[in-house]
Amino acid sequence: MRIDSKKRRVQQKYKEIIELKKQERKHTIEVLIAIFLIVFLSFLNGENANVFNFNSSAIEVGHPENKWIGVVSKIDEKLKVNYTQYTGIAIDFNPKPIKYILKTSIQDSDLDNDQHLSELIKDANAIIESNKLPNLLQEDETYEIIVRGIDNDELAVKGF
């Protein structure tokens, strides 16, 4: 009788281990599905499918616009360090011109002077120019830097 109870305990322990492994696989699959949904929804989020939001998106390798996209992380790093109200960056290729959209936590009513916004645009453009991106434009092409506030209002726009 003692041997049977030991056998049962070993069998029960084995069943518990198998059940735990099934649960771990289930949770792993759920996490992968959740990550996929987050990435997929981040691409759908926004008004324009051609806007790449760089808080959560991937860059398509070999795409001709990669040179313009490549400086986004540099702009983001510099502006995060220098401007507390800066929150993120996006880029829009369609419709033309190319637009860098600088997102901020500034409210339209907070604008006492445009100096802060001008500095933000100037710093972003300095990185664009240091990477010689304007040389890639055709003769009649331009690009814009747009600063948006907390309510997605356009606070400043400058074309180059």
Side-chain angles (χ1 to χ4, degrees):
M1 200 157 181
R2 194 122 163 81
I3 293 175
D4 284 340
S5 70
K6 283 185 178 182
K7 257 182 155 178
R8 283 188 194 128
R9 279 187 282 186
V10 169
Q11 287 175 342
Q12 184 63 31
K13 199 66 157 169
Y14 182 72
K15 286 180 183 179
E16 290 173 4
I17 290 171
I18 290 174
E19 188 62 34
L20 282 174
K21 286 184 179 182
K22 285 181 184 177
Q23 291 296 322
E24 287 175 0
R25 280 189 217 121
K26 180 181 173 184
H27 292 300
T28 302
I29 291 171
E30 290 172 348
V31 168
L32 290 173
I33 290 171
I35 291 171
F36 173 77
L37 286 174
I38 290 170
V39 171
F40 180 72
L41 292 175
S42 71
F43 281 110
L44 294 179
N45 188 19
E47 299 171 8
N48 191 338
N50 292 323
V51 175
F52 297 93
N53 190 338
F54 288 92
N55 294 330
S56 62
S57 72
I59 300 172
E60 186 179 327
V61 177
H63 204 272
E65 292 146 344
N66 273 349
K67 290 183 180 179
W68 288 94
I69 295 170
V71 299
V72 169
S73 61
K74 294 175 186 175
I75 294 171
D76 188 52
E77 288 172 14
K78 179 166 183 161
L79 298 183
K80 277 183 182 174
V81 169
N82 294 336
Y83 301 93
T84 57
Q85 293 179 316
Y86 168 79
T87 59
I89 186 170
I91 188 168
D92 187 359
F93 293 100
N94 193 14
K96 292 205 178 223
I98 297 169
K99 295 170 212 59
Y100 285 97
I101 302 163
L102 308 179
K103 301 173 187 178
T104 69
S105 60
I106 301 170
Q107 291 185 347
D108 197 15
S109 59
D110 290 344
L111 296 176
D112 292 331
N113 63 23
D114 293 333
Q115 184 64 26
H116 186 70
L117 299 176
S118 296
E119 290 295 318
L120 193 67
I121 291 172
K122 184 179 129 195
D123 285 353
N125 193 50
I127 294 170
I128 293 167
E129 288 179 349
S130 70
N131 284 274
K132 299 180 172 112
L133 294 178
N135 296 341
L136 301 174
L137 295 172
Q138 300 296 323
E139 190 174 311
D140 59 339
E141 289 183 316
T142 61
Y143 65 96
E144 292 180 345
I145 299 177
I146 301 168
V147 180
R148 289 198 176 153
I150 197 164
D151 296 323
N152 211 22
D153 298 331
E154 284 188 7
L155 303 177
V157 179
K158 184 157 184 186
F160 299 91

